[in-house]
Amino acid sequence: MIKLFFKKWVFLFLIIAGSFIIGARTSISFLHFFFWFLVSLAVCNLIWIAAVYFMANLNLNRDIMRKIEEEDALGIAASIRNNSFLPLFNLVLEDYLPCAEGGEKKKLILIEFLGPKSFLSLNYNCRCFLRGRYMVGPLAVYFFDLFGLFFFKKTFPVYSELHVYPKTFAIRKFPELRKGMLPWFGIETTRSNADEDEFFGVREYKDGDPIKKIHWISTARRNRLIVKQFQKQSFFSATMILNLQKDGNIGEGKESVAEYMIKIAASTAKYLISRGVSLE
């Protein structure tokens, strides 16, 4: 965009220089006429874009997906509405995209004409390379004169929150999931009852309750039949522990050990949650 402006100014300079050379070889009156013609043209252009800048009533919006994964393309649907009675020429819409990489963080879209009381939809995208939470925006509009030589910039505080999650991969093999109490870090654990239910409390005996669930100590204390209650454990639970020591984080950016560990953890979490496992 800057190169384009530079070329326009160079072109204008060559026209002015050539006109002065022609005027010097013809007559001084022609030189004066052409000089004041260019000055009048420039003043009219400045008046026009100043009027557009202060009198144009624009309404801008942006709609994006809120959650994507690394290296996915983010689709963006923007809209611009001209609520004023002035026609607008040579607008440039600028959107700041912090999730993009390098020089692609600013998206520029040329709008050649936007009529009064009219609406325009714009669709574009960018590829998000690194996980994180981003605030996409703001939007800015450049108002150019009819010849594209001068411009004013107006910024609109239009922001959209975006969450870029780590890129996950499919897990083909995983250790068998088992209910019940299992050894944890080499410490053996046992249950007082021989099933997978968790002891919840006691209650009075009801017809149909199995004899093996009678709580004899409470029965003797209360002088009536008391049975044990159990809470059914109908789900698996898993705990994930990550060791993110700074000294062991070899590599930089997306090629670091920490980023690979996060990718593995995200893939494992996605696998477990999709199978109804309670994860912490």
Side-chain angles (χ1 to χ4, degrees):
M1 186 174 176
I2 297 177
K3 292 182 178 179
L4 180 61
F5 298 155
F6 179 75
K7 291 179 180 179
K8 289 182 177 179
W9 280 103
V10 170
F11 180 69
L12 179 62
F13 174 78
L14 292 176
I15 292 178
I16 295 175
S19 302
F20 272 99
I21 294 174
I22 295 173
R25 291 182 174 272
T26 55
S27 63
I28 194 65
S29 59
F30 174 79
L31 181 62
H32 288 167
F33 167 78
F34 193 78
F35 174 77
W36 288 112
F37 172 76
L38 291 178
V39 171
S40 301
L41 187 62
V43 171
C44 291
N45 269 329
L46 289 175
I47 293 175
W48 167 255
I49 61 173
V52 168
Y53 178 82
F54 290 107
M55 299 178 64
N57 182 11
L58 297 180
N59 185 16
L60 279 73
N61 289 289
R62 182 198 306 104
D63 186 24
I64 65 172
M65 296 178 61
R66 302 295 181 179
K67 300 177 181 179
I68 63 172
E69 289 188 352
E70 288 177 331
E71 301 180 4
D72 286 348
L74 173 66
I76 305 172
S79 63
I80 178 171
R81 182 183 297 275
N82 181 13
N83 298 317
S84 67
F85 61 91
L86 290 175
L88 304 179
F89 301 91
N90 298 336
L91 298 179
V92 173
L93 177 67
E94 179 187 75
D95 197 358
Y96 181 64
L97 307 171
C99 59
E101 188 178 34
E104 299 179 356
K105 292 186 180 295
K106 290 185 178 181
K107 183 69 175 182
L108 301 175
I109 301 176
L110 175 63
I111 303 173
E112 295 182 353
F113 175 74
L114 183 62
K117 306 295 182 180
S118 62
F119 175 85
L120 182 63
S121 297
L122 304 168
N123 294 289
Y124 48 96
N125 59 69
C126 76
R127 193 167 298 277
C128 301
F129 289 90
L130 186 62
R131 63 178 179 85
R133 175 181 174 271
Y134 300 95
M135 291 300 295
V136 180
L139 288 171
V141 175
Y142 292 85
F143 298 88
F144 285 88
D145 66 298
L146 298 177
F147 300 97
L149 299 175
F150 310 101
F151 70 88
F152 288 144
K153 178 182 178 182
K154 180 179 288 188
T155 302
F156 296 82
V158 180
Y159 295 92
S160 303
E161 186 176 16
L162 171 66
H163 293 267
V164 180
Y165 289 94
K167 190 73 173 179
T168 58
F169 54 87
I171 297 179
R172 303 186 181 278
K173 293 184 179 181
F174 199 82
E176 180 184 359
L177 296 176
R178 296 179 57 189
K179 297 179 182 178
M181 304 296 291
L182 298 177
W184 183 73
F185 286 99
I187 303 175
E188 291 289 340
T189 58
T190 59
R191 286 185 176 275
S192 59
N193 56 316
D195 52 27
E196 297 180 354
D197 299 340
E198 294 283 356
F199 180 76
F200 181 72
V202 296
R203 60 172 174 81
E204 291 188 9
Y205 175 85
K206 295 181 181 180
D207 292 339
D209 287 338
I211 300 299
K212 67 176 183 178
K213 290 191 176 182
I214 294 178
H215 194 271
W216 294 108
I217 297 177
S218 298
T219 297
R221 185 182 299 117
R222 300 184 186 183
N223 199 24
R224 58 181 183 273
L225 289 176
I226 302 296
V227 296
K228 294 176 286 187
Q229 287 190 107
F230 295 91
Q231 184 178 20
K232 186 66 177 177
Q233 183 181 346
S234 58
F235 60 90
F236 299 99
S237 61
T239 301
M240 189 179 302
I241 302 175
L242 301 180
N243 184 3
L244 297 176
Q245 291 184 352
K246 185 176 181 180
D247 295 338
N249 186 25
I250 303 172
E252 296 181 357
K254 293 181 62 176
E255 302 301 324
S256 64
V257 172
E259 289 298 323
Y260 277 106
M261 290 178 62
I262 291 171
K263 184 180 295 186
I264 294 172
S267 302
T268 305
K270 184 177 180 180
Y271 176 87
L272 294 175
I273 293 174
S274 65
R275 285 158 177 77
V277 178
S278 177
L279 181 68
E280 65 176 356

